[in-house]
Amino acid sequence: MTDASASDGVPTGIVGPVAGTVVPRFAGSSTFARLPRVDEVSDYAIAVLGAPFDGGTSFRPGARFGPSAVRQASRNLRPAYHPDLDVSPYERLQVVDAGDVPCNPYSIDEALKQIDQHASDLISDRHRLITVGGDHTVALPLLRAVNRVHGPVALVHFDAHLDTWDTYFGASNTHGTVFRRAFEEGLLIPDHSIHVGTRGPLYSRQDLADDTDFGFQVVRAGDLDLLGIDGVLDRIRARVGDAPVYLSIDIDVLDPAFAPGTGTPEIGGFTSRELLHLLRGLSGESLVAADVVEVSPAYDHAEVTSLAAATVVYDITSLMAASGRSSVPD
């Protein structure tokens, strides 16, 4: 839907997705949820950015193809109205697809700088960003960009793994070290961050001790069976308080039955329904940015992992829209 257009042809009202009742969902725009590109509108509230980089992967590569796979799977969405959150997100807020960062596939350091720069160009105190990875390494430059606008943030981290290890084969910036680096750089508010959904064996008992020293709290995947959805949400809310929140979701927080297309799968994870219930219980008002990472489509079946990630991105935009004020570009 377009409310008005400027004299130069750039729409000035909210522009929503291409209607699935007009253009079939398997046709038309290849942007996320068939939303407008960032250059097609005069302003925006939320940008969806692709970060196709997987040079920090320690096991199965392929997450560089995640953004394109998630966009393709998002065609399946009917994004006009979210019944669980009672919001029409793309009528309430202008959401755009900001394309992909042209990540250097041969240099981790150069790729992180490129992601940082693109994110910094999109984020402000009135512009929020959701990034689709890529492996989890991309979260570090995103947190750097967010900090320049909002200062240190509380991290809500859904993942099968802690991602607070020190190095892999001498490399300090990888998908398993990202939040240790974030802690060391002062990007996180002390004692306000939480891992949710972790499971599986570790390299050492010391891994947990180090993680605690970095100020993280852990809700393991099995704790959901004991605490329930509301109990886990209570722990998250108590942990973050009223701080600005960066939400980071590794799709491997889901059990491989629900997300086989990922680089480091671990059995015993959440179901898709459980993850959506947890996300919908968060406060969208405090979310300043988010990422959804580690979709590796080469290992996927029938796009189930890509569809899970696309739905999660849609739910995050809906969460932000449900708790935020309507924003129509001037």
Side-chain angles (χ1 to χ4, degrees):
M1 179 184 70
T2 303
D3 294 335
S5 294
S7 59
D8 62 1
V10 177
T12 56
I14 288 181
V15 182
V18 176
T21 54
V22 176
V23 179
R25 283 174 287 161
F26 50 78
S29 173
S30 60
T31 59
F32 179 81
R34 304 198 301 174
L35 286 159
R37 301 190 313 266
V38 66
D39 62 316
E40 294 179 315
V41 298
S42 59
D43 200 1
Y44 62 90
I46 303 171
V48 178
L49 176 68
F53 175 77
D54 63 2
T57 302
S58 61
F59 194 52
R60 303 194 305 199
R64 66 182 63 184
F65 300 107
S68 59
V70 171
R71 288 188 177 101
Q72 174 63 23
S74 74
R75 291 177 178 274
N76 188 68
L77 299 172
R78 297 177 184 83
Y81 175 67
H82 195 305
D84 293 280
L85 293 174
D86 189 24
V87 66
S88 297
Y90 303 145
E91 292 181 10
R92 188 171 180 82
L93 298 178
Q94 181 63 70
V95 185
V96 297
D97 190 315
D100 286 344
V101 180
C103 299
N104 186 325
Y106 299 110
S107 170
I108 292 178
D109 290 342
E110 179 63 23
L112 299 193
K113 291 177 183 177
Q114 292 169 319
I115 295 167
D116 187 341
Q117 181 59 60
H118 274 71
S120 295
D121 290 343
L122 294 166
I123 296 173
S124 76
D125 58 359
R126 61 187 187 87
H127 296 119
R128 293 192 272 189
L129 180 65
I130 303 171
T131 303
V132 181
D135 73 46
H136 224 148
T137 316
V138 307
L140 181 59
L142 295 171
L143 281 165
R144 290 169 177 164
V146 166
N147 265 245
R148 295 191 194 98
V149 175
H150 299 284
V153 293
L155 173 70
V156 177
H157 174 216
F158 287 85
D159 201 323
H161 311 97
L162 299 171
D163 291 356
T164 52
W165 288 280
D166 190 12
T167 62
Y168 280 130
F169 295 92
S172 59
N173 289 319
T174 76
H175 72 165
T177 66
V178 57
F179 297 124
R180 187 173 186 138
R181 299 290 92 81
F183 163 77
E184 292 170 348
E185 293 182 20
L187 304 179
L188 307 177
I189 301 173
D191 301 318
H192 276 65
S193 295
I194 187 168
H195 307 292
V196 183
T198 61
R199 58 192 186 276
L202 299 169
Y203 291 107
S204 165
R205 183 189 298 270
Q206 188 62 37
D207 295 341
L208 293 173
D210 289 345
D211 193 75
T212 299
D213 289 342
F214 302 150
F216 286 94
Q217 190 177 92
V218 178
V219 177
R220 290 180 57 81
D223 293 336
L224 182 65
D225 299 326
L226 303 175
L227 300 172
I229 297 291
D230 289 340
V232 173
L233 286 170
D234 286 344
R235 288 202 178 182
I236 295 173
R237 295 188 191 106
R239 189 64 173 169
V240 303
D242 58 359
V245 172
Y246 184 96
L247 175 63
S248 188
I249 302 173
D250 187 326
I251 205 65
D252 73 18
V253 74
L254 296 176
D255 189 89
F258 300 91
T262 191
T264 316
E266 301 279 357
I267 68 166
F270 293 161
T271 68
S272 301
R273 183 175 63 251
E274 289 167 344
L275 177 60
L276 292 178
H277 275 306
L278 289 168
L279 293 177
R280 292 167 187 171
L282 300 177
S283 169
E285 186 68 35
S286 60
L287 293 179
V288 296
D291 66 58
V292 180
V293 299
E294 297 286 354
V295 174
S296 190
Y299 305 100
D300 208 1
H301 305 292
E303 296 185 326
V304 295
T305 309
S306 300
L307 179 58
T311 305
V312 166
V313 173
Y314 171 65
D315 266 43
I316 296 171
T317 62
S318 299
L319 192 63
M320 290 176 172
S323 60
R325 292 178 296 175
S326 178
S327 174
V328 181
D330 296 329

Tab-separated table of all heavy atoms in Angstrom, residues 29 57 66-67 73 83 95 104 106-107 120 125 129 136 139 159 166 191 195 216 219 227 275 277-278 287 300 307 324:
chain	number	residue	atom	x	y	z
A	29	SER	N	8.611	-9.569	-6.555
A	29	SER	CA	9.846	-9.120	-5.917
A	29	SER	C	10.537	-10.237	-5.146
A	29	SER	O	9.897	-11.106	-4.550
A	29	SER	CB	9.540	-7.962	-4.967
A	29	SER	OG	10.677	-7.596	-4.221
A	57	THR	N	32.973	-19.904	10.284
A	57	THR	CA	32.343	-21.176	10.616
A	57	THR	C	33.378	-22.235	10.992
A	57	THR	O	34.410	-22.363	10.331
A	57	THR	CB	31.516	-21.687	9.413
A	57	THR	OG1	30.538	-20.706	9.084
A	57	THR	CG2	30.837	-22.993	9.726
A	66	GLY	N	22.567	-18.025	3.322
A	66	GLY	CA	21.403	-17.864	4.189
A	66	GLY	C	20.479	-16.722	3.809
A	66	GLY	O	19.261	-16.913	3.712
A	67	PRO	N	21.003	-15.496	3.589
A	67	PRO	CA	20.093	-14.390	3.280
A	67	PRO	C	19.215	-14.642	2.061
A	67	PRO	O	18.009	-14.363	2.086
A	67	PRO	CB	21.047	-13.214	3.065
A	67	PRO	CG	22.234	-13.543	3.912
A	67	PRO	CD	22.384	-15.031	3.798
A	73	ALA	N	12.281	-18.146	1.073
A	73	ALA	CA	11.288	-18.792	1.932
A	73	ALA	C	10.239	-17.812	2.415
A	73	ALA	O	9.086	-18.194	2.672
A	73	ALA	CB	11.987	-19.450	3.123
A	83	PRO	N	-1.976	-12.589	13.730
A	83	PRO	CA	-3.078	-12.771	14.681
A	83	PRO	C	-2.630	-12.948	16.126
A	83	PRO	O	-3.353	-12.537	17.047
A	83	PRO	CB	-3.782	-14.038	14.159
A	83	PRO	CG	-2.758	-14.747	13.343
A	83	PRO	CD	-1.893	-13.680	12.749
A	95	VAL	N	8.879	-0.913	6.748
A	95	VAL	CA	9.951	-1.889	6.793
A	95	VAL	C	10.486	-2.052	5.373
A	95	VAL	O	9.714	-2.097	4.414
A	95	VAL	CB	9.462	-3.237	7.354
A	95	VAL	CG1	10.631	-4.215	7.504
A	95	VAL	CG2	8.761	-3.031	8.699
A	104	ASN	N	33.682	-9.530	2.043
A	104	ASN	CA	34.894	-10.139	1.521
A	104	ASN	C	34.945	-11.595	1.989
A	104	ASN	O	35.023	-11.851	3.190
A	104	ASN	CB	36.112	-9.368	2.032
A	104	ASN	CG	37.416	-9.840	1.424
A	104	ASN	OD1	37.603	-11.019	1.163
A	104	ASN	ND2	38.345	-8.912	1.213
A	106	TYR	N	37.295	-13.755	1.782
A	106	TYR	CA	38.633	-14.247	2.079
A	106	TYR	C	39.265	-13.598	3.316
A	106	TYR	O	40.319	-14.034	3.757
A	106	TYR	CB	39.556	-14.033	0.875
A	106	TYR	CG	39.089	-14.766	-0.357
A	106	TYR	CD1	38.584	-14.071	-1.448
A	106	TYR	CD2	39.137	-16.152	-0.421
A	106	TYR	CE1	38.143	-14.744	-2.581
A	106	TYR	CE2	38.697	-16.833	-1.550
A	106	TYR	CZ	38.202	-16.126	-2.621
A	106	TYR	OH	37.761	-16.796	-3.739
A	107	SER	N	38.641	-12.558	3.849
A	107	SER	CA	39.216	-11.854	4.991
A	107	SER	C	38.148	-11.610	6.041
A	107	SER	O	37.196	-10.846	5.811
A	107	SER	CB	39.823	-10.512	4.553
A	107	SER	OG	40.180	-9.734	5.683
A	120	SER	N	26.061	0.645	10.310
A	120	SER	CA	26.122	2.013	10.828
A	120	SER	C	25.362	2.982	9.938
A	120	SER	O	24.774	3.958	10.423
A	120	SER	CB	27.582	2.465	10.952
A	120	SER	OG	28.272	1.684	11.920
A	125	ASP	N	18.770	6.445	16.127
A	125	ASP	CA	17.854	6.346	17.258
A	125	ASP	C	16.405	6.155	16.826
A	125	ASP	O	15.541	5.878	17.658
A	125	ASP	CB	17.984	7.576	18.164
A	125	ASP	CG	17.709	8.880	17.426
A	125	ASP	OD1	17.441	8.843	16.207
A	125	ASP	OD2	17.767	9.946	18.085
A	129	LEU	N	17.354	-2.248	13.037
A	129	LEU	CA	17.949	-3.131	12.049
A	129	LEU	C	17.768	-4.593	12.465
A	129	LEU	O	17.983	-4.950	13.618
A	129	LEU	CB	19.448	-2.831	11.924
A	129	LEU	CG	20.247	-3.668	10.919
A	129	LEU	CD1	19.772	-3.398	9.500
A	129	LEU	CD2	21.735	-3.374	11.059
A	136	HIS	N	27.509	-16.668	12.848
A	136	HIS	CA	27.307	-15.800	14.005
A	136	HIS	C	28.412	-14.766	14.181
A	136	HIS	O	28.267	-13.830	14.979
A	136	HIS	CB	27.158	-16.642	15.276
A	136	HIS	CG	26.049	-16.178	16.150
A	136	HIS	ND1	25.297	-17.014	16.951
A	136	HIS	CD2	25.538	-14.935	16.356
A	136	HIS	CE1	24.392	-16.314	17.610
A	136	HIS	NE2	24.518	-15.049	17.280
A	139	ALA	N	27.580	-10.969	14.221
A	139	ALA	CA	26.977	-10.242	15.341
A	139	ALA	C	27.933	-9.236	15.968
A	139	ALA	O	27.496	-8.216	16.521
A	139	ALA	CB	26.483	-11.216	16.409
A	159	ASP	N	20.479	-19.796	21.275
A	159	ASP	CA	21.527	-20.549	20.596
A	159	ASP	C	21.715	-21.891	21.295
A	159	ASP	O	21.468	-22.014	22.495
A	159	ASP	CB	22.848	-19.753	20.666
A	159	ASP	CG	23.869	-20.152	19.610
A	159	ASP	OD1	23.971	-21.346	19.283
A	159	ASP	OD2	24.585	-19.258	19.133
A	166	ASP	N	37.436	-18.554	23.348
A	166	ASP	CA	38.491	-17.571	23.127
A	166	ASP	C	38.958	-17.535	21.680
A	166	ASP	O	38.836	-16.520	20.997
A	166	ASP	CB	39.672	-17.840	24.059
A	166	ASP	CG	40.694	-16.709	24.043
A	166	ASP	OD1	40.381	-15.633	23.496
A	166	ASP	OD2	41.793	-16.898	24.566
A	191	ASP	N	26.244	-8.045	33.438
A	191	ASP	CA	25.249	-8.828	34.176
A	191	ASP	C	23.817	-8.586	33.714
A	191	ASP	O	22.868	-8.703	34.490
A	191	ASP	CB	25.364	-8.541	35.681
A	191	ASP	CG	26.739	-8.886	36.222
A	191	ASP	OD1	27.272	-9.942	35.838
A	191	ASP	OD2	27.287	-8.096	37.019
A	195	HIS	N	21.936	-16.337	27.773
A	195	HIS	CA	21.856	-17.349	26.728
A	195	HIS	C	20.598	-18.177	26.975
A	195	HIS	O	20.333	-18.578	28.113
A	195	HIS	CB	23.037	-18.316	26.781
A	195	HIS	CG	24.395	-17.687	26.787
A	195	HIS	ND1	24.919	-17.009	25.710
A	195	HIS	CD2	25.373	-17.671	27.731
A	195	HIS	CE1	26.136	-16.602	25.992
A	195	HIS	NE2	26.437	-16.983	27.219
A	216	PHE	N	27.256	-13.582	31.932
A	216	PHE	CA	26.106	-14.197	31.288
A	216	PHE	C	25.346	-15.099	32.249
A	216	PHE	O	25.930	-15.712	33.147
A	216	PHE	CB	26.546	-15.044	30.090
A	216	PHE	CG	26.966	-14.238	28.892
A	216	PHE	CD1	28.300	-13.913	28.699
A	216	PHE	CD2	26.037	-13.793	27.975
A	216	PHE	CE1	28.706	-13.176	27.607
A	216	PHE	CE2	26.425	-13.049	26.880
A	216	PHE	CZ	27.757	-12.732	26.685
A	219	VAL	N	20.007	-20.213	30.400
A	219	VAL	CA	18.814	-21.058	30.478
A	219	VAL	C	19.009	-22.153	29.444
A	219	VAL	O	18.934	-21.905	28.237
A	219	VAL	CB	17.525	-20.269	30.184
A	219	VAL	CG1	16.318	-21.213	30.201
A	219	VAL	CG2	17.329	-19.148	31.203
A	227	LEU	N	10.669	-25.075	33.631
A	227	LEU	CA	10.183	-23.719	33.903
A	227	LEU	C	8.936	-23.355	33.113
A	227	LEU	O	8.145	-22.516	33.553
A	227	LEU	CB	11.287	-22.700	33.587
A	227	LEU	CG	12.588	-22.821	34.367
A	227	LEU	CD1	13.633	-21.859	33.788
A	227	LEU	CD2	12.354	-22.528	35.844
A	275	LEU	N	9.927	-21.738	20.251
A	275	LEU	CA	10.704	-20.531	19.972
A	275	LEU	C	9.794	-19.355	19.677
A	275	LEU	O	10.007	-18.244	20.192
A	275	LEU	CB	11.654	-20.768	18.796
A	275	LEU	CG	12.469	-19.551	18.352
A	275	LEU	CD1	13.345	-19.021	19.486
A	275	LEU	CD2	13.326	-19.885	17.136
A	277	HIS	N	6.690	-18.868	20.678
A	277	HIS	CA	6.046	-18.449	21.925
A	277	HIS	C	6.988	-17.587	22.766
A	277	HIS	O	6.570	-16.573	23.352
A	277	HIS	CB	5.598	-19.668	22.732
A	277	HIS	CG	4.261	-20.202	22.353
A	277	HIS	ND1	3.117	-19.431	22.320
A	277	HIS	CD2	3.871	-21.450	21.984
A	277	HIS	CE1	2.081	-20.172	21.961
A	277	HIS	NE2	2.512	-21.398	21.742
A	278	LEU	N	8.259	-17.981	22.839
A	278	LEU	CA	9.222	-17.207	23.622
A	278	LEU	C	9.443	-15.833	23.010
A	278	LEU	O	9.458	-14.817	23.724
A	278	LEU	CB	10.549	-17.970	23.715
A	278	LEU	CG	10.530	-19.215	24.605
A	278	LEU	CD1	11.782	-20.052	24.384
A	278	LEU	CD2	10.410	-18.825	26.079
A	287	LEU	N	13.632	-3.570	21.999
A	287	LEU	CA	14.501	-4.166	20.983
A	287	LEU	C	15.050	-3.082	20.068
A	287	LEU	O	14.298	-2.435	19.334
A	287	LEU	CB	13.729	-5.191	20.144
A	287	LEU	CG	13.259	-6.458	20.853
A	287	LEU	CD1	12.488	-7.341	19.876
A	287	LEU	CD2	14.427	-7.217	21.452
A	300	ASP	N	19.556	-28.150	4.244
A	300	ASP	CA	18.134	-28.021	4.538
A	300	ASP	C	17.319	-29.059	3.772
A	300	ASP	O	17.805	-29.655	2.797
A	300	ASP	CB	17.655	-26.611	4.167
A	300	ASP	CG	16.480	-26.146	5.007
A	300	ASP	OD1	16.047	-26.906	5.901
A	300	ASP	OD2	16.005	-25.018	4.784
A	307	LEU	N	12.409	-21.368	6.119
A	307	LEU	CA	11.076	-20.883	6.483
A	307	LEU	C	11.006	-20.538	7.965
A	307	LEU	O	10.393	-19.530	8.349
A	307	LEU	CB	10.022	-21.928	6.137
A	307	LEU	CG	8.580	-21.563	6.493
A	307	LEU	CD1	8.156	-20.272	5.802
A	307	LEU	CD2	7.627	-22.705	6.135
A	324	GLY	N	5.442	-0.519	19.303
A	324	GLY	CA	5.947	0.798	18.940
A	324	GLY	C	4.863	1.679	18.356
A	324	GLY	O	3.777	1.229	17.999
